[in-house]
Amino acid sequence: MPETITITDDRTGKQVTVPITNGVFPASAVRELDPSLFIYDPAYMQTAACRSSITYLDGDNGILRYRGYPIEQLAEKSTFLEVAYLLLNGDLPNAEQLKQWTLDVTHHTFVHENMRKRFLDGFHYDAHPMGMFVSSMAALGTFYPEAKNVLDKGSRDQQILRLIAKTPTIAAMCHRFSVGLPFVYPDNDISFPANFLNMMWKIGDYEVDPRLERAMDVLFILHADHEQNCGTTSMRVVGSSQADPYSAAAAAASALYGPLHGGANEAVVRMLADIGSIENVPAFIEDVKSGKAGSRLMGFGHRVYKNYDPRARIIKEVAYGVFEVTGKNPLLDIALKLEEAALNDDYFKSRKLYPNVDFYSGLIYQAMGFPAEMFTVLFAIPRTVGWLAHWQEMLTDKEQKISRPRQWYTGVDERDYVPLGSR
Ligand code: SDX
């Protein structure tokens, strides 16, 4: 059977046949038929916006691979910095490459003192840490005017290194500011996840628990990239105008902030707290099904996964390991009851709604002591790697240019100006 598609313009009888490759066919077929024709596709639900070799998703079978490696294997055997190298460079590093990469990241973790004194200190005392993080991404770029040379690989690599290394520092600074604690400087003698936990929690003789250090590393791996999600699409669109990567990352972080996207982990924990007990789960499920205002099952459903999100399965296992250290999060029982009820209810089954990455992650973060306002910041730290991998792929893709879609105009036709007195 030919892997092609033929489109016929019935107005002219003109036909175009184009190949279908990996489930995709080029929209240039439409341009060939009639350049004045546009495909209407709200929210890009049926659109492949780019070619990419970074991450592969199979939504029906719940498959996620970074550069071909199954997420399950990376979560079990790799580290976040190794996965960051993989996503950015296309293959796992050898021992020498990993050593150099780790050294490079470790020695870029400090931020300019004015980021603290002149910028972060300017926020209101109760500013939301994610709002501070989003702003800090763009502010960070003002220290590196050379970052505008986005077509220069050397400059791109330098900014990539800075952003990956500095996001944990900025994230921890946002938290420490929010709780009125002095900042903790990066410690270059400990691992990437340990350094982040140390900057978050160090007071006095704080020691990072290696089990929480490993859990943090796995959570960073699981959140590092996810193909053309809303935040990464924002990174690509803003980056396509050749804006600097800090401004593009601020746009991506802004998209992630939304409750339908990365803000869902915070929304899940608030939803579970509002439900309050497993006895209230059936009534809540009914509210969701009836579409009662504000009753959405946060942490469930996904544009791509119509099966269990493979990350949710792994996170659930990580949760039990963390709870051995921190004690079980009392909201876990409500979450498990909610998952069981939803997975056996036709409303959710018929819509192929399963737990996604955000359903259990918040329970772990809360058990580790992170305030709910920090959950999306915890998502943004590792996702910065994915944003940057896609940013550099977009800039080096000869088929890409500034993103500028068209529209289906449904407004009024031409009309003459009406003087104020006649309206
Ligand atoms: C992330 O894209 C990515 O890869 C994102 C992400 C990543 O790693 O970058 O995976 C991270 O953002 C995960 C998703 C986190 N968001 C949430 O958990 C918020 C709750 N979920 C939804 O709002 C929703 O499922 C979305 C936004 C995730 C997906 O929305 P879609 O694909 O646009 O689906 P839809 O809103 O059109 O829903 C289809 C149907 C609708 O019912 P009907 O109109 O057909 O009757 O399913 C219903 C929706 O009402 N539905 C839900 C639901 N999600 C969808 N009903 C109840 N609870 C939900 N959570």
Side-chain angles (χ1 to χ4, degrees), residues 273-292:
D274 288 347
I275 292 171
S277 73
I278 54 177
E279 289 73 29
N280 296 337
V281 164
F284 177 77
I285 289 283
E286 290 313 309
D287 285 348
V288 169
K289 289 161 64 178
S290 67
K292 184 179 169 195

Side-chain angles (χ1 to χ4, degrees), residues 134-412:
V134 165
S135 316
S136 300
M137 287 293 99
L140 195 58
T142 63
F143 291 90
Y144 309 110
E146 71 276 17
K148 291 179 170 42
N149 306 328
V150 299
L151 300 181
D152 174 77
K153 184 178 183 330
S155 173
R156 287 201 301 269
D157 290 350
Q158 184 68 12
Q159 311 323 318
I160 286 171
L161 198 51
R162 284 170 168 155
L163 269 161
I164 292 172
K166 296 176 195 311
T167 40
T169 309
I170 288 171
M173 288 168 77
C174 292
H175 168 68
R176 301 284 288 203
F177 175 89
S178 300
V179 294
L181 283 173
F183 298 130
V184 174
Y185 285 109
D187 179 342
N188 291 348
D189 297 329
I190 55 181
S191 74
F192 186 89
N195 180 40
F196 171 62
L197 293 173
N198 191 58
M199 291 188 289
M200 277 293 301
W201 307 124
K202 184 171 181 57
I203 296 176
D205 59 354
Y206 169 80
E207 285 293 321
V208 176
D209 183 310
R211 293 166 295 178
L212 299 184
E213 175 185 359
R214 180 58 191 158
M216 202 77 247
D217 214 26
V218 172
L219 286 161
F220 282 166
I221 290 171
L222 296 173
H223 287 83
D225 190 50
H226 213 241
E227 198 223 63
Q228 305 309 318
N229 59 83
C230 185
T232 301
T233 297
S234 305
M235 184 83 183
R236 280 178 169 262
V237 169
V238 172
S240 74
S241 73
Q242 296 185 8
D244 70 83
Y246 301 89
S247 304
S254 301
L256 190 72
Y257 197 359
L260 293 187
H261 191 11
N265 51 21
E266 178 180 348
V268 166
V269 161
R270 295 192 193 288
M271 170 188 74
L272 295 172
D274 288 347
I275 292 171
S277 73
I278 54 177
E279 289 73 29
N280 296 337
V281 164
F284 177 77
I285 289 283
E286 290 313 309
D287 285 348
V288 169
K289 289 161 64 178
S290 67
K292 184 179 169 195
S295 299
R296 177 152 271 222
L297 183 44
M298 301 309 279
F300 256 68
H302 199 277
R303 176 62 56 75
V304 176
Y305 290 126
K306 301 309 170 190
N307 200 320
Y308 216 100
D309 183 332
R311 300 167 296 176
R313 208 185 299 280
I314 300 168
I315 285 177
K316 205 170 167 183
E317 290 161 23
V318 171
Y320 289 108
V322 167
F323 296 158
E324 280 172 19
V325 181
T326 63
K328 192 176 87 168
N329 187 325
L331 295 178
L332 175 67
D333 292 333
I334 301 174
L336 291 170
K337 184 72 180 168
L338 207 46
E339 177 186 356
E340 180 202 350
L343 293 184
N344 291 292
D345 186 299
D346 192 52
Y347 174 92
F348 300 91
K349 287 196 292 186
S350 63
R351 292 168 175 80
K352 297 187 177 180
L353 301 176
Y354 293 88
N356 60 48
V357 67
D358 291 309
F359 190 65
Y360 285 104
S361 55
L363 292 177
I364 298 177
Y365 297 145
Q366 190 176 53
M368 290 174 78
F370 292 102
E373 293 76 13
M374 276 295 288
F375 292 1
T376 309
V377 177
L378 295 172
F379 196 147
I381 294 172
R383 186 51 63 86
T384 299
V385 169
W387 296 335
L388 291 165
H390 284 274
W391 172 70
Q392 76 175 359
E393 185 179 64
M394 176 272 301
L395 284 171
T396 52
D397 180 342
K398 301 252 181 300
E399 291 186 327
Q400 289 294 338
K401 48 177 51 179
I402 187 167
S403 291
R404 203 277 185 221
R406 299 301 304 276
Q407 62 176 13
W408 176 348
Y409 178 69
T410 56
V412 295

